Amino acid sequence: RGKGTVNGNGPLRILWVGAGDMKGVFKNLFGPDNTGNDVIAVDLIRPDAKDIHAASEYAKEHGYTVGFEQGDAEQMKFKDETFDVVVCSMFLCQDFNPEIVVSEIRRVLKYGGRFGFFEHVEDIDKIIVGKIFGKDSVIRVQHYPEMTNIMAGVVRKV
């Protein structure tokens, strides 16, 4: 089992699930030090070419790459253990089975890799932690009821 580079050993391969129009790039979604990171954005609906171009240019200016691949989060075409990090934000509330999507996220995540989420699905932690990743995977999970019932966290594949 290959370890990811999450612990600071080089650039990261990052999967952004549910990228939508890719405007999340402009919110520094991928942190302040992105040097060399390779981000693949996935969504069912392809953003406009100008949005993909703008996100790609922004990423380049900030030292990383971002590309878009149209695809279904319930049936990702990536090989097992492809990514060091997977992120999604306000995505698991969409019209699909979040248990299947989180299982796919775990499948494409390298051992030791991290999954970061920011969701407003009630009890999403029961799927992410309780059913898919397990209690030993939790780095941090926090509930923000004052923010329209937001659940945010980071888990690692163990």
Side-chain angles (χ1 to χ4, degrees):
R1 293 180 177 162
K3 292 286 183 185
T5 57
V6 172
N7 295 320
N9 300 328
L12 301 172
R13 293 219 53 213
I14 301 170
L15 178 62
W16 178 15
V17 180
D21 60 12
M22 297 183 66
K23 290 193 166 90
V25 167
F26 306 110
K27 297 177 183 176
N28 283 330
L29 180 64
F30 303 105
D33 183 17
N34 303 303
T35 307
N37 291 347
D38 179 30
V39 178
I40 303 296
V42 173
D43 207 297
L44 267 176
I45 300 171
R46 184 171 193 79
D48 292 336
K50 66 179 170 70
D51 289 334
I52 294 172
H53 179 74
S56 181
E57 286 300 309
Y58 180 89
K60 188 188 318 180
E61 290 169 10
H62 290 82
Y64 65 102
T65 62
V66 65
F68 179 81
E69 293 194 23
Q70 193 166 5
D72 184 349
E74 287 188 325
Q75 298 174 2
M76 289 194 244
K77 61 183 177 180
F78 305 108
K79 293 180 182 177
D80 295 359
E81 300 181 39
T82 299
F83 296 96
D84 301 297
V85 175
V86 179
V87 296
C88 72
S89 178
M90 304 303 223
F91 178 72
L92 296 174
C93 59
Q94 304 298 319
D95 190 22
F96 50 72
N97 183 334
E99 192 170 332
I100 293 172
V101 173
V102 175
S103 293
E104 277 292 280
I105 287 169
R106 187 179 188 288
R107 181 185 66 76
V108 302
L109 193 61
K110 292 178 183 178
Y111 282 89
R114 312 240 169 122
F115 169 43
F117 58 93
F118 185 87
E119 299 292 338
H120 65 94
V121 176
E122 190 170 339
D123 297 329
I124 194 66
D125 60 317
K126 290 182 180 165
I127 292 173
I128 294 171
V129 176
K131 291 186 176 183
I132 310 299
F133 279 86
K135 290 180 183 177
D136 291 340
S137 71
V138 174
I139 294 172
R140 182 173 185 174
V141 174
Q142 191 158 345
H143 182 225
Y144 300 92
E146 71 281 1
M147 294 175 63
T148 318
N149 206 29
I150 296 294
M151 179 75 63
V154 177
V155 294
R156 98 180 126 257
K157 184 174 180 177
V158 292

